[in-house]
């Protein structure tokens, strides 16, 4: 096992670069931070390029790393440098980005969540995790949404990216057209006068749900293409719900 003690090591530079979109694109990989995420990747046979851990974490978990997976021991200082935090858990994995070429015309079953410029990493990750919990087949994020493999989104997903399909930078208008051609109901979410209470909807088995940007909501051109647009009635005086909370309510109710 190689022991790495310098932040200037060439491997450390690659692992550190995974904090950025450019670094992830260049290497075709992203970083998992913490044993829970590393273990989930191992359990799901994700393509892992390296496991990186401090001496203490290596002693605790090396037995759980399959033969053939490269393992590297790093110092506490190097672990902090890789994680860009003062108190990292001290164990990481570099894993390959999934194939993002996915054509919606081949979707014929399962529910999908479509995210229209959801920009907050915490919201994006929580929505993907909730879609996983609610039994969705996949999540498609439009251009302008948070990168699902940004470290903050990865932490919020808590490993759900290994349980469902996650596709980014999609053209949502084209996705709506393709899904409706495949007899999908596509539900938007708006507060417009023409939207309906979600409780009045009984969806078919196959449907998609669109959630819009935190500040601006769904784009008008997408609203015009949906099967129906839904809203949530609530008795309190709050002006609106956080998009991740609203999404959770709707996903469990519809699915």
């Amino acid at each position: 096992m190689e022991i790495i003690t310098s932040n200037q090591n060439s491997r450390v530079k690659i692992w550190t670069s995974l904090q950025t979109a450019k670094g992830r694109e260049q290497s075709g990989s992203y970083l998992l931070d913490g044993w829970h995420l590393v273990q989930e990747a191992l359990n799901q046979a994700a393509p892992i390029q390296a496991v990186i851990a401090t001496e203490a974490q290596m002693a605790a978990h090396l037995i759980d790393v399959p033969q053939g997976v490269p393992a590297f021991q790093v110092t506490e200082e190097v672990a902090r440098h890789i994680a860009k935090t003062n108190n990292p858990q001290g164990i990481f994995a570099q894993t390959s980005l999934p194939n993002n070429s996915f054509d919606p015309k081949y979707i014929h079953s399962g529910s999908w969540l479509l995210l229209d410029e959801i920009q907050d990493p915490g919201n994006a990750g929580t929505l993907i995790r909730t879609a996983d919990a609610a039994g969705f087949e996949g999540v498609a994020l439009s251009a302008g949404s948070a990168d699902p493999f940004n470290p903050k989104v990865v932490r919020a997903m808590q490993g759900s990216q290994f349980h469902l399909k996650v596709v980014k930078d999609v053209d949502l208008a084209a996705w709506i057209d393709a899904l409706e051609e495949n007899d999908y109901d596509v539900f938007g979410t708006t507060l417009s006068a023409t939207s309906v209470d979600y409780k009045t909807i009984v969806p078919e088995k196959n449907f998609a749900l669109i959630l819009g940007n935190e500040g601006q909501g769904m784009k008008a051109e997408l609203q015009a293409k949906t099967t129906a647009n839904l809203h949530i009635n609530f008795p309190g005086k709050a002006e609106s719900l956080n998009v991740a909370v609203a999404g959770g309510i709707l996903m469990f109710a519809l699915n």
Side-chain angles (χ1 to χ4, degrees), residues 24-233:
R24 293 189 292 274
E25 290 169 7
Q26 287 180 338
S27 68
S29 62
Y30 69 105
L31 194 69
L32 303 171
D33 184 350
W35 174 241
H36 168 73
L37 295 180
V38 175
Q39 184 179 43
E40 192 59 26
L42 293 170
N43 289 343
Q44 300 299 321
I48 293 178
Q49 299 176 20
V51 171
I52 309 108
T54 61
E55 183 178 8
Q57 290 292 328
M58 194 66 75
H61 298 299
L62 183 59
I63 192 172
D64 299 307
V65 177
Q67 272 193 323
V69 175
F72 300 87
Q73 183 176 308
V74 297
T75 63
E76 298 282 352
E77 180 186 351
V78 170
R80 285 192 294 272
H81 184 70
I82 294 169
K84 299 299 183 185
T85 61
N86 290 327
N87 297 297
Q89 294 187 41
I91 185 165
F92 314 87
Q94 178 186 4
T95 187
S96 300
L97 289 167
N99 185 345
N100 201 51
S101 58
F102 192 86
D103 191 333
K105 72 181 181 182
Y106 297 113
I107 298 175
H108 295 282
S109 64
S111 46
W112 277 76
L113 178 66
L114 311 182
L115 302 184
D116 179 20
E117 295 193 10
I118 299 296
Q119 296 177 337
D120 180 82
N123 285 337
T126 298
L127 284 164
I128 293 168
R129 184 179 179 185
T130 305
D132 176 20
F136 276 53
E137 181 72 16
V139 181
L141 299 91
S142 73
S145 294
D147 181 345
F149 303 102
N150 170 307
K152 291 180 180 178
V153 181
V154 171
R155 284 194 291 272
M157 288 192 294
Q158 284 294 297
S160 284
Q161 71 271 30
F162 301 121
H163 308 153
L164 43 63
K165 297 179 181 68
V166 178
V167 191
K168 66 175 187 174
D169 296 330
V170 306
D171 178 346
L172 288 186
W175 271 63
I176 294 171
D177 290 341
L179 290 170
E180 290 183 335
E181 286 178 10
N182 289 343
D183 296 323
Y184 265 66
D185 287 333
V186 179
F187 300 113
T189 48
T190 75
L191 295 175
S192 68
T194 58
S195 64
V196 298
D197 187 337
Y198 78 96
K199 293 180 181 178
T200 66
I201 295 294
V202 180
E204 298 292 333
K205 182 179 179 181
N206 296 331
F207 72 91
L209 173 68
I210 307 174
L211 297 171
N213 173 267
E214 291 91 341
Q216 305 300 319
M218 272 182 65
K219 293 185 182 68
E221 57 266 33
L222 299 182
Q223 294 180 35
K225 296 172 75 69
T226 59
T227 308
N229 293 312
L230 313 181
H231 65 251
I232 300 171
N233 288 323

